[in-house]
């Protein structure tokens, strides 16, 4: 009897993720049917299909990997292209395609121009643990950990960031954690610069980051805007 995809996830993929340590708890979240975008607007207000990842693996509010699931009767090769697309959209360095029986892993890195490229890919025996994924990124330090531990807060009743907003926030906080003093974000009109600025300020404030990097007090933040409504 052939399983459908939902049965394969429940019977084969979920247990293998759990065995590797991917079970939602205080620090770990397994996001299922994660909406990557809401679809590009075409003519007459019609949108393209929403991109959804079958699984996104998170550690302390930070997305680390995407998993594309296929039912057990389908070859894992069928999900590789989708897994790569989703990883590149979310700027994740690990992507997986699985049918519950086999697991295919794609490893990425990012060059100094911000471009992603594949370093290796192929079948693996099991999913990596949360620690193994964090070690692969290799960019954790005390301040990065503090920023990761702070939850995203609702902004104008919206708790889910657009994927590129989250990338901008994470890249900015990474640069701050590495004590870089000049950081410039450039985004188009309507892409949510105010939302991004709010979340960066929120995480700096709640972590008690300051220019001395000693965590002894909350920072003073100067927010310049060309419209009163933005500052308000």
């Amino acid at each position: 009897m052939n399983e459908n995809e939902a049965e394969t996830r429940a019977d084969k993929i979920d247990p293998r993720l759990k065995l590797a340590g991917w079970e939602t708890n205080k620090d770990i979240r397994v996001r299922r049917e994660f909406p990557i975008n809401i679809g590009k607007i075409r003519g007459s207000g019609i949108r393209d299909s929403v991109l959804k990842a079958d699984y996104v693996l998170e550690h302390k509010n930070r997305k680390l990997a995407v998993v594309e699931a296929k039912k057990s009767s389908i070859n894992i090769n069928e999900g590789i292209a989708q897994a790569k697309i989703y990883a590149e959209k979310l700027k994740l360095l690990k992507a997986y395609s699985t049918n519950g029986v086999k697991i295919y892993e794609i490893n990425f890195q990012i060059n100094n121009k911000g471009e992603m490229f594949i370093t290796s890919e192929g079948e693996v025996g099991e999913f990596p643990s949360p620690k193994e994924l964090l070690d692969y990124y290799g960019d954790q330090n005390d301040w990065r950990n503090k920023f990761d531990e702070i939850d995203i807060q609702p902004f104008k009743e919206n708790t889910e960031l657009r994927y590129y907003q989250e990338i901008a926030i994470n890249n900015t906080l990474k640069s701050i954690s590495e004590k870089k003093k000049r950081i410039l974000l450039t985004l188009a009109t309507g892409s949510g610069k105010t939302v991004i600025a709010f979340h960066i300020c929120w995480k700096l404030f709640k972590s008690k980051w300051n220019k001395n990097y000693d965590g002894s007090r909350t920072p003073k933040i100067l927010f310049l805007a060309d419209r009163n409504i933005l500052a308000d």
Side-chain angles (χ1 to χ4, degrees):
M1 177 179 172
N2 286 336
E3 292 181 318
N4 59 36
E5 187 178 305
E7 291 170 332
T8 297
R9 291 192 206 180
D11 297 340
K12 293 185 173 67
I13 300 174
D14 288 355
R16 295 189 76 169
L17 285 169
K18 184 177 179 180
L19 185 65
W22 292 104
E23 185 175 19
T24 297
N25 57 38
K26 179 177 178 290
D27 293 334
I28 294 168
R29 290 182 71 188
V30 178
R31 306 284 297 272
R32 293 171 173 82
E33 295 292 326
F34 179 79
I36 296 174
N37 63 15
I38 57 175
K40 185 182 292 185
I41 297 177
R42 299 295 183 182
S44 303
I46 298 172
R47 288 186 182 273
D48 286 344
S49 299
V50 176
L51 285 182
K52 282 188 178 181
D54 291 326
Y55 297 87
V56 170
L57 308 181
E58 288 186 7
H59 181 269
K60 291 186 177 179
N61 302 302
R62 183 180 175 191
K63 295 174 178 61
L64 297 176
V66 62
V67 180
E68 175 64 19
K70 296 298 180 185
K71 61 183 181 179
S72 57
S73 60
I74 293 180
N75 193 295
I76 54 172
N77 292 340
E78 296 295 320
I80 293 173
Q82 284 174 280
K84 289 178 178 178
I85 290 170
Y86 298 158
E88 289 173 352
K89 280 280 189 186
L90 297 170
K91 288 291 187 288
L92 303 180
L93 302 186
K94 289 276 192 177
Y96 296 89
S97 174
T98 183
N99 59 8
V101 179
K102 295 182 178 180
I103 302 171
Y104 191 94
E105 178 182 71
I106 306 105
N107 298 308
F108 293 88
Q109 287 294 338
I110 300 176
N111 63 24
N112 54 15
K113 294 181 180 179
E115 300 164 337
M116 292 183 68
F117 62 95
I118 295 172
T119 59
S120 62
E121 57 183 298
E123 288 188 29
V124 294
E126 297 296 340
F127 290 107
S129 67
K131 183 181 184 305
E132 287 170 330
L133 275 188
L134 282 169
D135 288 346
Y136 181 78
Y137 279 77
D139 58 3
Q140 292 302 109
N141 57 48
D142 288 345
W143 277 102
R144 188 68 193 266
N145 288 331
K146 287 181 181 180
F147 296 148
D148 286 349
E149 287 171 357
I150 298 167
D151 291 334
I152 292 294
Q153 292 298 306
F155 183 85
K156 293 185 177 180
E157 300 180 356
N158 185 6
T159 57
E160 196 66 64
L161 293 168
R162 298 174 189 171
Y163 71 92
Y164 58 83
Q165 293 172 345
E166 188 167 354
I167 291 167
I169 293 165
N170 286 337
N171 286 347
T172 301
L173 293 172
K174 177 179 182 293
S175 294
I176 292 171
S177 75
E178 294 170 350
K179 300 188 178 182
K180 294 179 181 177
K181 297 184 180 297
R182 290 178 178 269
I183 303 161
L184 174 66
L185 294 178
T186 306
L187 294 97
T189 298
S191 55
K193 292 184 289 293
T194 308
V195 176
I196 292 168
F198 164 79
H199 285 294
I200 291 170
C201 291
W202 174 263
K203 290 211 172 197
L204 294 177
F205 193 84
K206 296 300 288 185
S207 65
K208 293 189 175 182
W209 173 90
N210 58 66
K211 65 179 182 179
N212 297 321
Y213 286 82
D214 58 16
S216 62
R217 60 173 176 79
T218 53
K220 294 179 179 179
I221 299 172
L222 174 62
F223 193 103
L224 297 177
D226 62 350
R227 297 288 187 275
N228 287 339
I229 189 171
L230 296 180
D232 293 341

